[in-house]
Amino acid sequence: MQNLPLPVAVLFSGQGTNLKTLAQAAANQQLNIAIRCAICNKPTAQGIQHALTHGLQTHIIDHRQYPDKPAFEQDLANALDAAQVELIILAGFMRILSAGFVQRFSGKMINLHPSLLPRHRGLDTHQRALAAGDREHGSSIHLVVPELDNGPVIAQYRMPIAPHDTPISLAQRLAPHEHRLLQAVIALFTQCAIQVKSRQVMFNGQALRQPLLLDQNISWPINN
Ligand code: GAR
């Protein structure tokens, strides 16, 4: 018997291609999730159109309209509480959340980050990977903790850097794999194969010691 869909929220700030992929996968029943709400902090973000096209409950919570971060985060938290979600997916959400906010949703929030963490936390990750002479680059999904991009890494996609790569080519090459990575990890949450117990990520009942690798330990689409 199919479990009930996992209620999730997706937060984004820009193009929203990850949100779009998740909404499509939910609509096609490839992912057993119910996107209870999509939240964007930028009124001009392209991704808002994807959220509306898919008929998602869409909140535009513009941080610039608030006197301070606590006021902004209060509305964010209210929207998440009202949606009663079990997983909060930061998919290109470009605001740093306070420790109090993160603790309030502790163990329930994951972030997609475009680098092989712990390398290159923060911004401009493609450019920094090139400048550092890295041979490999990729994306990570980690549990959100109060320290920026520093939570336990759940899964990664790794790819070699080619001599002719630029920040743009890296971003373009990575994007479809980020989409797969996010779906693969969320599928594991829906199957309870990934669970979080007091800041510890469990995979199939065991503490996860190393990130799962897309196309090695996990795959997407599932029949790949
Ligand atoms: C993705 O590349 C994601 O890794 C990155 O933003 C992009 C969102 O793309 N996230 C971060 O930089 C978080 N620090 P999208 O809006 O098309 O889904």
Side-chain angles (χ1 to χ4, degrees), residues 153-172:
V153 180
I154 301 170
Q156 291 182 323
Y157 174 76
R158 297 176 166 260
M159 65 179 195
I161 294 183
H164 56 263
D165 265 320
T166 63
I168 290 173
S169 73
L170 285 178
Q172 284 173 345

Side-chain angles (χ1 to χ4, degrees), residues 12-19 91-94 111-115 122-123 125-126 139 149 175 178-179:
F12 66 100
S13 301
Q15 285 191 301
T17 62
N18 283 279
L19 167 73
F93 185 67
M94 304 306 283
N111 180 43
L112 171 66
H113 181 78
S115 80
L123 298 175
T125 55
H126 308 311
S139 281
D149 298 331
E178 287 197 308
H179 297 163

